[in-house]
Amino acid sequence: MENKFQFYNTLTRKVETIIPHEEGKIAMYTCGPTVYHYAHIGNLRSYIMEDVLEKALRYVGYDVKRVMNITDVGHLSSDADTGEDKMLKGAKREHKTVMEIAQFYTDAFFDDCKKLNIKTPDVVEPATNCIPEFIHMVEVLLEKGFAYVAGGNVYFDTSRLPDYYVFSSQSEKELLVGVRDDVEEDANKKNKNDFVLWFTKSKFEDQALKWESPWGVGYPGWHIECSCISMKHLGEYMDIHCGGVDNIFPHHTNEIAQSESYLGHKWCNYWFHVNHLNDKSGKMSKSKGDFLTVSLLQEKGYDPMVYRMFCLQSHYRKPLEFSYEVLDNMSAAYGKLVKKIAELGEDGAVNEQCFASYRERFSDALCNDMNTSMAITIVYDLLKEDTNDATKLALIKDFDRVLSLNLTTAQSKESQSVDAELEAYILAKIEERKEAKKAKDFAKADAIREELLAKGIAIKDTREGVVWSVQ
Ligand SMILES: [Zn+2]
């Protein structure tokens, strides 16, 4: 196949053409969610852009295998032995067991992904499934002399590496300032950046999940799960590792340190990082309290597709600033766009020449460091193009394999003419009906359909999900 897909590789700090280990195939890994709370829309920006990357690679002809972990074992704010066990904190807050919390928020995460048309990776593996693999890797690292036991914990020895700061031209000192924010001195460490591979001694009393190990009963460090889970499903060579920019240090740096020390060779050639979503006061985070979720946007009357389009209109490497004002503008633009597309007829034959030339333009935009805003501009250009509707519609359906904006299936807002409050009510009812069907309570599902019908709203189950219309 023709090889021209380029994107910015954080490892080399260059836009590069990808050359996978196996021709035509891409082994791709995504750091998954920590499931102790809902994902906020800032986290979901990364997943949206990684979804576009996967679909774009498929669009240009690659066979992609994508793996993602679920962090369901005590994950700290840093890899130091401080702070609270977030899973346990979540469980206490909601009077549930840790595993119930993990399951609940894993489901919630995938519900959000579904609303945003984010494809589920080919393999999704919870960290708690892989304890023997973690222990094995720690054993090998100890045997090879890359790790040491101190104070009951096993640490990775960063002084054994010729180049620990693989990603950065920053000085060691600058990086340490960043780390020091949330790290208390750990007297067991030989070097400042050494990190825990396996804990048996923890400062917080009751870490909920623990396992037997050669070093005593304990639990894995933060970074080891991504190295093990990716190798379990993708082997010793990976092509693309994705994550948010805040994963670069220390998480991805430590993943490389332990993986390459374990394997004895280079592990992953391309690193893809998505920048932050900010609000006016700075980076969005869970710890700020009132954080934005997809459900909250829906309650406020926004179609999740509007948020997806908002993300796609910006380049993944740039910070993106969220405001309701910008989202309102996006909502209007999205409404107009789907209305225009809904007005296209399907008559006539597809003009093959026009189809091929637009497909090439679209593919070039994706191959050019994933220029998603250009890809959307091409949709607008196409609508103005002097060609028949059948060609336009065929192309838009083809583009939407990557954009995933429901361009040909969305309800056109203007034709619906319902207010935001009624729409939110309808969406809540559709969601309630979905839950009822999932619980096999078909009587309730039918009752909800009747209730909506009584208000003049008809719903229809389609392959793309539930669609509704005003009668
Ligand atoms: Zn990871």
Side-chain angles (χ1 to χ4, degrees), residues 232-285:
K232 181 176 172 185
H233 297 288
L234 298 171
E236 291 191 8
Y237 296 93
M238 204 203 303
D239 297 307
I240 306 177
H241 193 309
C242 316
V245 285
D246 47 349
N247 284 331
I248 295 173
F249 190 85
H251 183 48
H252 289 165
T253 304
N254 291 349
E255 273 188 45
I256 293 175
Q258 68 201 4
S259 297
E260 297 191 350
S261 302
Y262 168 81
L263 292 168
H265 61 69
K266 181 126 185 241
W267 176 47
C268 177
N269 288 337
Y270 303 89
W271 292 76
F272 175 90
H273 289 109
V274 181
N275 214 315
H276 291 143
L277 179 73
N278 299 317
D279 56 22
K280 289 214 164 58
S281 60
K283 188 197 158 203
M284 271 186 198
S285 74

Side-chain angles (χ1 to χ4, degrees), residues 150-161:
N153 297 331
V154 186
Y155 294 85
F156 186 90
D157 185 351
T158 53
S159 71
R160 289 289 319 276
L161 302 177

Side-chain angles (χ1 to χ4, degrees), residues 217-235:
V217 175
Y219 57 99
W222 170 23
H223 317 292
I224 195 105
E225 64 179 274
C226 287
S227 294
C228 289
I229 290 172
S230 63
M231 282 180 212
K232 181 176 172 185
H233 297 288
L234 298 171

